[in-house]
Amino acid sequence: ADGVSEVGPGTLSTHVLNTAAGLPAAGLLVRLAQLQEPGPHWTELARRHTDADGRCQLLLAPGQAKAGTYKLHFETAEYWQGLGYTSFYPFVEVVFTITDPAQKLHVPLLISPYSYTTYRGS
């Protein structure tokens, strides 16, 4: 190409589970940002709340994904406060790299007030 990033049909989604209750984390604010090269400057691309099933579908719509570094910012303290808990982590940021813009990426997050786990889902 002529220096322009190739854009693919890939998508990005997330799913947040409250492992303390064994339930989806509904209504949790999620922000998606992309690292601008040369960094470190982040550009916000999307802002969503998880649905009743704890999911955010299509944080990157088909055709929007580009190769690069991204982060998902989860407002966990706000979520836990809403349930009457304090949280050790005020927020969780998951930084990851998209190498193939055609792939469907799913980045789940498992949370409790004192721990979190993330992995590359399918």
Side-chain angles (χ1 to χ4, degrees), residues 66-87:
K66 295 179 184 169
T69 301
Y70 294 80
K71 77 174 167 186
L72 285 168
H73 177 103
F74 298 88
E75 289 289 349
T76 51
E78 186 179 88
Y79 168 79
W80 289 117
Q81 281 164 9
L83 295 177
Y85 294 95
T86 54
S87 172

Side-chain angles (χ1 to χ4, degrees), residues 77-102:
E78 186 179 88
Y79 168 79
W80 289 117
Q81 281 164 9
L83 295 177
Y85 294 95
T86 54
S87 172
F88 182 67
Y89 302 101
F91 56 84
V92 172
E93 288 188 335
V94 179
V95 180
F96 57 95
T97 304
I98 293 178
T99 51
D100 179 1

Side-chain angles (χ1 to χ4, degrees), residues 26-108:
L28 191 148
L29 177 62
V30 181
R31 294 199 300 259
L32 172 69
Q34 182 177 14
L35 183 64
Q36 301 305 308
E37 300 294 350
H41 175 71
W42 295 91
T43 300
E44 188 169 295
L45 302 177
R47 183 181 290 228
R48 307 257 197 291
H49 284 87
T50 55
D51 64 15
D53 194 34
R55 295 180 184 276
C56 284
Q57 305 288 1
L58 297 186
L59 283 158
L60 283 175
Q64 199 183 357
K66 295 179 184 169
T69 301
Y70 294 80
K71 77 174 167 186
L72 285 168
H73 177 103
F74 298 88
E75 289 289 349
T76 51
E78 186 179 88
Y79 168 79
W80 289 117
Q81 281 164 9
L83 295 177
Y85 294 95
T86 54
S87 172
F88 182 67
Y89 302 101
F91 56 84
V92 172
E93 288 188 335
V94 179
V95 180
F96 57 95
T97 304
I98 293 178
T99 51
D100 179 1
Q103 286 185 322
K104 288 184 175 165
L105 284 182
H106 184 60
V107 182

